[in-house]
Amino acid sequence: MRYIEHLRKTFPMMKQHLLMDLGNSGWLNLLPSLKTNRLVYRVGLHAMGFAMFLLRLPKYIVYLNPEKLILPGLDVCVTTRCTLKCVDCAQRNTFYRSGKYAAVPEDSKLENISASIGKVLAAVDGVVIMGILGGETLLWPPLPQLLDEILASDKVFFIDVFTNGTLIPSGELLKRLKNKKAKVSISDYGVISSKKDVLIELFRENGVKFDVNYDGKTGWRRIYKAKDGPELPRGRTDEELGKIFKLCPIAKFCKHVIDDRLYICSILPHMDKLKIKPFDGMDFVDLNLPAAQVRDGIENFQSLDYLPACDYCDYMTGEDIQPAIQEEEGGA
Ligand code: SF4
């Protein structure tokens, strides 16, 4: 029974990992000529994905062991500074910029982030995809050094560096991005992602795996009210909160490290940092605890029935919106 329960819990992670290998790993973007023939492109995509899957087979076997704790996704926020001013930024940069909340845009310190990641890795057996994000990730000066540390870890299977397509990486950063474990996710917000085409050429020339997300028109969800707030609870019942929490993909796949805390999802840390919601202590694990207790805390995430903090978030219920409307355009 324990084995079946373990498989039931870990199946979504295995599926996500498999899908990564079966085509979402950015390899085919390095071969633009193949894209002119969709059939060849798709066959090539799956063939390469399957080859990757075979190469990584030992990592899948880890999932089958109920004693192992694998995080499907771990996001690390390195800066809340950004080159854009998106009205509906999921990381609540609008709130940071407003100056009306408890934090303003700033870079995290390399030593703090390294220490926090080290504490998470000491407590788990692996992380499938570590996402490095901001704000705008490429604004953060020590990114090459952080990548050196993460790429050296056997416990991190893939790294995904997110950028909004407005900056060009330095030569030092480019060297790290060529690593076989690394991929870059470029957000295409239309004309405001002004360096997107240059980035794509640069990555192709240098063998950096990448993919391009969004199409400038769809793909975002409005998750909170106006920045001038106050951000009030929506008044959902425990049952409604339970449904939201159980179905939320961010809660399943996007644990988030910020300031010595590991949060259940990547929306919550900014709520806490900005002091948008009352503290309840259910939504994060304190990384200053011994590794065994951090591990217990992460395992406990899975047994929660609902999360009170979801009452401040519309990720599962909000309207779909155009990505990256800028403050000047949106009038926020
Ligand atoms: S706060 Fe709740 S609903 Fe919003 S993303 Fe996190 S887990 Fe999902």
Side-chain angles (χ1 to χ4, degrees):
M1 273 313 280
R2 180 166 171 244
Y3 204 71
I4 291 170
E5 179 61 10
H6 173 73
L7 276 182
R8 194 184 62 75
K9 277 188 185 159
T10 51
F11 180 70
M13 304 181 205
M14 291 176 73
K15 195 171 79 177
Q16 191 204 27
H17 195 168
L18 186 66
L19 288 174
M20 272 283 295
D21 279 356
L22 285 177
N24 188 27
S25 48
W27 286 100
L28 265 281
N29 284 314
L30 302 178
L31 304 170
S33 56
L34 275 184
K35 282 197 166 183
T36 56
N37 182 326
R38 293 301 300 169
L39 182 65
V40 173
Y41 179 79
R42 291 187 73 81
V43 169
L45 189 72
H46 291 297
M48 201 173 281
F50 191 63
M52 296 296 294
F53 167 70
L54 290 179
L55 278 175
R56 294 174 184 146
L57 199 55
K59 292 202 168 72
Y60 290 88
I61 291 168
V62 174
Y63 284 118
L64 302 177
N65 184 344
E67 306 303 324
K68 299 286 183 189
L69 178 60
I70 306 285
L71 291 181
L74 178 66
D75 288 344
V76 179
C77 177
V78 294
T79 181
T80 48
R81 292 190 302 124
C82 193
T83 50
L84 296 178
K85 292 183 174 177
C86 302
V87 175
D88 294 288
C89 173
Q91 312 298 327
R92 298 202 190 219
N93 267 44
T94 332
F95 290 62
Y96 284 100
R97 281 195 306 276
S98 76
K100 295 178 180 171
Y101 291 85
V104 292
E106 63 181 357
D107 286 346
S108 298
K109 287 198 169 61
L110 173 63
E111 58 269 31
N112 294 351
I113 291 192
S114 301
S116 295
I117 292 174
K119 288 170 189 170
V120 177
L121 293 180
V124 302
D125 297 297
V127 171
V128 180
I129 307 168
M130 188 174 287
I132 314 293
L133 45 90
E136 168 47 36
T137 320
L138 302 195
L139 275 176
W140 193 59
L143 188 55
Q145 290 84 340
L146 181 70
L147 290 184
D148 279 344
E149 292 176 22
I150 306 170
L151 289 166
S153 169
D154 286 344
K155 287 191 177 179
V156 181
F157 304 164
F158 303 104
I159 293 173
D160 208 345
V161 176
F162 289 81
T163 178
N164 61 20
T166 60
L167 296 174
I168 303 295
S170 66
E172 283 302 294
L173 180 55
L174 205 56
K175 259 192 249 168
R176 276 69 174 192
L177 295 175
K178 290 181 194 176
N179 188 288
K180 65 180 186 326
K181 292 205 300 195
K183 173 171 83 68
V184 180
S185 285
I186 307 170
S187 298
D188 178 5
Y189 298 144
V191 288
I192 57 172
S193 295
S194 55
K195 301 286 194 299
K196 179 197 72 178
D197 294 335
V198 182
L199 279 176
I200 289 174
E201 272 320 296
L202 185 71
F203 290 160
R204 281 189 177 137
E205 280 166 17
N206 286 277
V208 175
K209 295 189 296 301
F210 67 95
D211 52 27
V212 181
N213 303 300
Y214 309 113
D215 58 5
K217 298 190 185 75
T218 54
W220 275 25
R221 177 82 46 89
R222 178 160 288 136
I223 60 168
Y224 53 81
K225 311 284 184 204
K227 71 169 180 180
D228 288 332
E231 187 78 330
L232 298 170
R234 314 302 195 248
R236 296 172 182 132
T237 63
D238 290 356
E239 193 185 345
E240 287 167 335
L241 289 173
K243 271 190 202 152
I244 285 174
F245 181 62
K246 292 279 180 226
L247 292 174
C248 180
I250 302 195
K252 284 193 182 74
F253 298 124
C254 305
K255 301 287 170 277
H256 198 112
V257 170
I258 194 168
D259 295 347
D260 253 358
R261 290 176 173 183
L262 176 71
Y263 287 83
I264 292 186
C265 84
S266 57
I267 302 298
L268 294 166
H270 300 288
M271 286 196 213
D272 265 355
K273 210 169 149 94
L274 292 155
K275 303 271 178 279
I276 285 172
K277 70 168 190 67
F279 168 86
D280 58 46
M282 290 170 73
D283 41 22
F284 70 86
V285 177
D286 181 352
L287 294 174
N288 290 312
L289 294 169
Q293 284 183 43
V294 172
R295 189 179 177 97
D296 286 348
I298 297 170
E299 284 176 334
N300 283 342
F301 282 161
Q302 296 183 31
S303 55
L304 290 177
D305 291 326
Y306 72 95
L307 200 61
C310 297
D311 206 23
Y312 292 78
C313 171
D314 295 330
Y315 180 77
M316 295 296 288
T317 55
E319 57 179 317
D320 291 332
I321 50 169
Q322 181 183 333
I325 295 173
Q326 297 299 286
E327 281 188 9
E328 290 79 3
E329 299 164 30

